[in-house]
Amino acid sequence: MSRFADPLSPDLDQLSLRWLWVLFLAAMFTGFFYNLDGFALFDLDEGAFSEATRNMLERGDFLATYLFGEPRYDKPILIYWLQALSVSALGLNEFALRLPSALASAGWMLLIWAFTRRVLGHHTALAAGIIGATTIGIIIVGRGAIADAALNLFIAGAMFAIFLHFREGGHRWVYLAFACMSLGFLTKGPVAVVIPLAVSLIFYALKGRWRDWLKAAFNPLGILLFLLLVLPWYLAITWREGPGFLLGFFLEHNLQRFLEPMESHSGPIFYYLPVLLVVMLPYTTVMLRSFVELKERFRDDLQGYLLLWFLFVLALFSLASTKLPHYIFYGVTPLFILMAMHLDAVRSRFLLFLPPALLFGALLALPELVGLIKPHVDDDFILALLSDYPQHFGPLWHAFFAIATVAAVFFMFDRRMARAWRIFLLGLVMNVGVAGLLLPAAAGLQQAPIKEAGLAARDLPDTVVMWRLHNPSFNIYAERSVERREPEVGEVAVTKQDSLERLEDYEILFSQRGVVLVRVLAR
């Protein structure tokens, strides 16, 4: 296979590969591992995945997952196995529960580097990895105790293998693509197969090679490998649990999500356009510039494939009825490579550094914005959670984001270093700010009372139930399984403060910002 010439600007070529490697490793550490255990698990998703894993270990049952005593059919098994392995080795804590995602995210970035190095060159490969590891949306989802980081790793592996098969031929890439799709199918289901197969079919058809696609897609050994990896667990869960998982997972959590909004997660057809502008910070301008001259870019095999990958994901989830921000991440991997290829195309320093300057300025003003919004909140529970918001935004918050804002503005006019250096350094600053300040502040506001209530309930001899709340992370910190139902007399309930008016007599065991533990004495 003939390689592309490394397309990066002379500015970045002036940076030694040694320093680019330092930036890349620093970006992965600050983006995915720094302060991994520095804040409580977020509900609903982190809490649900983590509690299902804790419950799995408690029951000693590694075949099925349960949440609040009910089967959890939302996702397949692989992420729970990975979390269970981590917890078994490191104990039940935030670090262990998030570590599989952090490792998968690091693997995802290394995979981007390896593929891009193979087809483009050293500088572009490192730039693509740095961009991916310092993009705000990836920092947040890539360290979460959920399935998405692992899924993105497997989708990227399948998509890269498919392109390398297109360019080089050979069965090894076919087998690698099938292996990645099977692992993705065990992580989150059909999406791990739909995206690679659909994009590759369209791409091969556009190139007049649809027969080659059919030959690869129906490769007998590839299909056998897929079935050997996927079928054992799917057959085992069906044999033991009956058709409940297959019906609940494939029909409700996949087909129905596409046809109908679930849990009020809906939005207009252009929902993901503003989402992209935010989640791709601080590189929003570079991303937009990558979409210029699309006709010319589609003529190139690599760029056409990457654009088709992104556009298919954008179209698929824009048409879906259920919309969540992280769905678009299945299509951002190609953007990182395109952005690295065209990093020098943004000629205006003002436009390049305006998005990070606005981001840091908004984070600097966030405490004041919360104070302005608070009087207009009607929900008593949310008001209680916000009651002590100033303590979560201390002097370090203001100092850090003030300096970051000034640095972003200064870099607009500084000519003494390459622009790539400057934007990457701002990305590293953002990693530290998000992981060290933003996520802990958000968790402190939203999750601290739930965590403290769970810790308070850990040694209670009473039966504990969750009432009028849906916060599975409580079970993690209480280290016990609870049911979601109305409490009986003599039981302890974790609930909202305003639920107490429904009880005739009770004893408050714990109270913090709208979250209470009460022993029910009379109903």
Side-chain angles (χ1 to χ4, degrees), residues 8-70:
L8 280 184
S9 66
D11 275 348
L12 192 55
D13 287 337
Q14 293 171 8
L15 301 178
S16 70
L17 290 176
R18 178 189 304 172
W19 283 111
L20 278 174
W21 264 110
V22 169
L23 278 174
F24 183 36
L25 295 175
M28 287 197 292
F29 172 75
T30 57
F32 307 128
F33 298 98
Y34 165 62
N35 206 32
L36 198 61
D37 59 348
F39 48 94
L41 297 166
F42 282 95
D43 288 312
L44 179 64
D45 286 349
E46 275 198 307
F49 276 95
S50 300
E51 166 53 14
T53 297
R54 187 206 65 80
N55 184 267
M56 172 189 289
L57 289 167
E58 181 181 71
R59 292 182 295 110
D61 176 6
F62 297 94
L63 185 61
T65 54
Y66 285 77
L67 186 65
F68 295 120
E70 299 292 331

Side-chain angles (χ1 to χ4, degrees), residues 107-262:
W108 179 14
M109 297 304 120
L110 287 170
L111 201 59
I112 291 171
W113 164 79
F115 171 79
T116 310
R117 179 179 178 274
R118 187 179 186 89
V119 298
L120 291 174
H122 295 283
H123 284 83
T124 311
L126 288 169
I130 293 168
I131 290 171
T134 54
T135 298
I136 189 169
I138 305 305
I139 299 166
I140 294 172
V141 78
R143 56 176 46 238
I146 55 177
D148 287 84
L151 176 63
N152 277 294
L153 169 65
F154 298 134
I155 289 177
M159 295 298 290
F160 292 156
I162 288 168
F163 183 79
L164 291 175
H165 174 71
F166 173 83
R167 294 279 298 179
E168 300 177 10
H171 292 301
R172 58 175 175 162
W173 300 121
V174 175
Y175 302 148
L176 179 58
F178 272 104
C180 288
M181 285 190 290
S182 66
L183 293 173
F185 202 81
L186 279 172
T187 301
K188 211 168 181 179
V191 67
V193 176
V194 169
I195 292 173
L197 287 185
V199 173
S200 60
L201 173 59
I202 297 169
F203 180 70
Y204 271 73
L206 290 173
K207 297 298 179 180
R209 291 177 53 180
W210 59 270
R211 289 185 179 86
D212 292 337
W213 182 88
L214 288 173
K215 186 177 179 180
F218 292 95
N219 181 287
L221 290 179
I223 294 173
L224 178 62
L225 175 63
F226 182 90
L227 295 177
L228 286 174
L229 291 172
V230 166
L231 278 186
W233 178 77
Y234 277 92
L235 290 176
I237 190 70
T238 304
W239 178 268
R240 201 187 77 178
E241 303 282 324
F245 176 83
L246 295 181
L247 294 176
F249 176 64
F250 287 106
L251 295 184
E252 179 181 354
H253 291 285
N254 282 276
L255 182 60
Q256 189 174 338
R257 278 181 182 271
F258 189 85
L259 299 176
E260 300 175 11
M262 291 191 67

Side-chain angles (χ1 to χ4, degrees), residues 265-286:
H265 295 308
S266 62
I269 191 130
F270 55 84
Y271 173 90
Y272 289 106
L273 298 182
V275 168
L276 273 169
L277 297 178
V278 175
V279 301
M280 296 302 286
L281 286 167
Y283 305 101
T284 304
T285 305
V286 183

